[in-house]
Amino acid sequence: MLLASAAYCAAGCAASLGPGYTIVKQQITVQFVPAPQPVIRIEGVYQLKNTGNQPLTSLELRLPGRRRFHFSDPNAQWDKTTLTLAAAPDNPRNVLLTFPQRWRVSSQHTLRLSAEYQRPGSDETALSFTPDAFFLPAQGWSPELLPERGMLATGGVPPKSWILVVRVPGNFLVHSSGQANKQLAKNSPNAAERTIRIPQTFKDAYPFVIAGRYVATTLAAGNESVNLWTRRPQNPEALRQPSEALVRTIQAYDSTFGARPKDSHRLWIVECPDVAGCFASTTSNFFRLISEENEKTSAEMASQDTAMVDLSGGAPQIAAAAPPLAASWLGYGQNPGFFEQTPPLSALPAFAASRGREAVEGPQVRAQIVRRLLRAIPTNPQPRQLEADDALRAKSLLFFYALQDRYGQQVFSAALSHMLDARRGGGFDLDDLIAAFEQETHQNVAQFVRLWMKNPGVPEDFRARYENTAASALTLKETLP
């Protein structure tokens, strides 16, 4: 029931040149039902207008991933007509809603989408929650409206302002995306339930909700204020080290991928409702590549300002970032190609996670990760040899390290920030990355990219540098043919 994907043409085009629609209004409601077997009910209501140049017969949605979320089959209504969700022909993750009549140009209709989240079974790794706490991270927890297909197509862009409604037990604390200073709260007559209306803006392309019966304390960490939400009373000083580590991680993301909005000046560390279903990175192929064998995840970003943590083993290690990082810092919330992103850009969120780990654990982590990735790539590959999936993932991650080595951290950060800012509200691909680096360096970056991505394996001088030389003694240059 969500928003998120922006079309390649801005929604405010004066005259559309292709098929498309506009989301005029939208409201997303999250209701937590704290039964012995709790559920989370999600409903999205969208007022849609055909602003394209032709009638439309269907609308495409992207469903949440079943591996991460356990939910009932969504229900869809077009005005008052129930629609069937059919598999999209080009992508198994997507569904197609076919209208009972053609959607005429300039006409408006109301789309209502609903689903119910349930706790996963014991053999599943999906997001879990308890009768007294839950969270929905800043990515992928509800279907997303997609742009129409075709040349100059539009659609899926959320309105500049919309409403997130959160309904929870009256004694729950709530932290969510949106404008907290403008929210309106109302208690039921017996105070058993609280309803909160939180205004959202275009930057909240992936909203999040964290709520529960938590004990709250506040800790100063550097120049940041860290809110600690735990299931039971804790000694705040015992969490000072992870709080300071979270600040360093966030600062690393700010410096590499662009600063947070100016109104994001507070951070949260929140104890997982259910550790077994808390962390998305445990199912990530990229996380497996950059982690040590049998490494246990104890902390992960659930939003741009919040880390979910496991306190069962003591102070957590704030060294990983979940996919929500991609939705916030990297701007993928407004990139229609995020889920189909191809190598090497598909590795950018994992590279961001490794930057966070480096900020927390020290610069030596960089060389350790690089050497770990190199072990996944065969030496002396044959020309034009197809690369195995793990080898291509490892190579895509190493590509970003090689860009840092070649052009330096300052240029690397400036180029990434330039690309993300320039393409926010649209898609970006490898050509955009090349253009951003060439603008910063005034060099032929495309040649460097071809050296890495058009040949199997990695350049031998890169491998030799990390396998045979201490990281502190690197000469940060790549040899071009």
Side-chain angles (χ1 to χ4, degrees):
M1 313 162 192
L2 262 216
L3 39 129
S5 295
Y8 286 90
C9 173
C13 292
S16 179
L17 303 177
Y21 64 93
T22 297
I23 304 176
V24 180
K25 294 181 181 179
Q26 77 176 28
Q27 177 174 296
I28 310 296
T29 300
V30 175
Q31 181 186 13
F32 183 74
V33 182
Q37 290 298 323
V39 296
I40 305 171
R41 293 172 181 161
I42 310 293
E43 181 181 67
V45 180
Y46 307 87
Q47 184 177 330
L48 307 178
K49 181 178 181 179
N50 185 339
T51 50
N53 63 357
Q54 57 192 267
L56 303 174
T57 59
S58 62
L59 180 67
E60 193 168 351
L61 308 174
R62 176 168 290 122
L63 294 177
R66 292 282 186 180
R67 186 170 66 172
R68 179 57 176 151
F69 300 99
H70 186 99
F71 58 94
S72 62
D73 290 336
N75 177 270
Q77 286 190 328
W78 186 247
D79 296 328
K80 295 184 178 181
T81 301
T82 299
L83 301 181
T84 300
L85 283 72
D90 299 332
N91 189 329
R93 279 287 302 278
N94 297 351
V95 296
L96 204 63
L97 301 176
T98 300
F99 308 132
Q101 291 89 30
R102 284 155 63 91
W103 182 7
R104 299 191 310 275
V105 173
S106 298
S107 65
Q108 295 192 26
H109 292 273
T110 299
L111 175 66
R112 187 181 300 270
L113 298 166
S114 60
E116 187 174 273
Y117 278 77
Q118 301 139 355
R119 292 204 289 187
S122 58
D123 58 340
E124 297 181 85
T125 59
L127 180 82
S128 187
F129 44 92
T130 62
D132 61 354
F134 76 98
F135 78 100
L136 295 170
Q139 186 195 34
W141 50 267
S142 63
E144 300 166 19
L145 277 61
L146 298 179
E148 285 297 314
R149 293 180 178 267
M151 292 292 293
L152 302 176
T154 61
V157 180
K160 291 183 178 180
S161 62
W162 57 279
I163 298 296
L164 173 66
V165 178
V166 179
R167 296 174 59 187
V168 295
N171 58 357
F172 271 31
L173 298 178
V174 176
H175 173 47
S176 75
S177 56
Q179 299 173 295
N181 60 329
K182 295 183 179 180
Q183 69 180 30
L184 297 176
K186 181 179 180 181
N187 292 328
S188 62
N190 60 0
E193 184 180 72
R194 185 158 55 113
T195 300
I196 309 170
R197 296 174 59 87
I198 309 120
Q200 309 283 304
T201 66
F202 182 75
K203 69 182 179 182
D204 300 306
Y206 278 114
F208 67 91
V209 180
I210 301 166
R213 199 173 293 119
Y214 285 107
V215 177
T217 57
T218 303
L219 188 68
N223 295 325
E224 301 277 359
S225 177
V226 179
N227 298 281
L228 307 174
W229 286 11
T230 57
R231 308 296 299 280
R232 292 173 296 279
Q234 301 277 341
N235 177 6
E237 288 303 313
L239 294 175
R240 178 169 294 280
Q241 183 176 353
S243 297
E244 293 174 347
L246 176 62
V247 171
R248 292 198 301 274
T249 301
I250 297 300
Q251 289 172 344
Y253 297 149
D254 281 342
S255 65
T256 303
F257 304 106
R260 288 166 290 158
K262 292 182 179 179
D263 56 354
S264 300
H265 62 281
R266 296 172 68 88
L267 301 174
W268 273 257
I269 291 180
V270 181
E271 186 173 1
C272 292
D274 184 355
V275 173
C278 194
F279 304 127
S281 61
T282 56
T283 60
S284 164
N285 288 318
F286 280 113
F287 178 82
R288 176 173 49 80
L289 283 171
I290 65 176
S291 302
E292 297 180 6
E293 189 174 357
N294 299 321
E295 181 174 338
K296 181 184 176 183
T297 301
S298 60
E300 193 171 81
M301 301 299 290
S303 73
Q304 197 178 48
D305 63 7
T306 304
M308 304 302 298
V309 299
D310 172 14
L311 297 179
S312 62
Q317 297 297 313
I318 308 290
L325 173 71
S328 50
W329 260 272
L330 303 184
Y332 286 167
Q334 297 134 43
N335 175 13
F338 169 46
F339 287 100
E340 287 81 27
Q341 198 66 266
T342 57
L345 286 179
S346 55
L348 194 49
F351 175 77
S354 67
R355 287 281 298 136
R357 168 166 291 187
E358 187 180 335
V360 172
E361 299 180 5
Q364 75 282 356
V365 171
R366 186 181 194 275
Q368 293 169 3
I369 292 176
V370 168
R371 290 172 183 139
R372 194 174 298 133
L373 292 169
L374 284 171
R375 290 197 292 269
I377 303 174
T379 57
N380 303 317
Q382 297 300 312
R384 300 186 181 180
Q385 174 183 333
L386 290 178
E387 295 181 287
D389 289 343
D390 266 0
L392 186 56
R393 292 187 189 102
K395 176 179 176 175
S396 297
L397 271 166
L398 290 173
F399 168 74
F400 290 103
Y401 285 103
L403 280 174
Q404 275 189 322
D405 287 357
R406 174 70 177 179
Y407 300 109
Q409 180 59 49
Q410 184 175 352
V411 168
F412 181 91
S413 297
L416 273 188
S417 295
H418 173 77
M419 179 188 74
L420 295 172
D421 288 341
R423 300 302 298 164
R424 201 174 301 276
F428 58 82
D429 56 22
L430 188 56
D431 288 339
D432 296 308
L433 182 72
I434 292 171
F437 270 87
E438 289 187 342
Q439 178 173 322
E440 293 294 329
T441 64
H442 306 289
Q443 298 178 28
N444 184 354
V445 178
Q447 187 179 9
F448 175 83
V449 173
R450 285 194 298 271
L451 170 69
W452 265 83
M453 302 310 301
K454 296 299 183 181
N455 300 291
V458 299
E460 281 304 312
D461 57 342
F462 181 89
R463 182 185 291 275
R465 180 189 310 150
Y466 280 93
E467 290 184 343
N468 302 326
T469 309
S472 60
L474 297 180
T475 55
L476 305 181
K477 291 291 178 182
E478 207 69 57
T479 301
L480 293 172

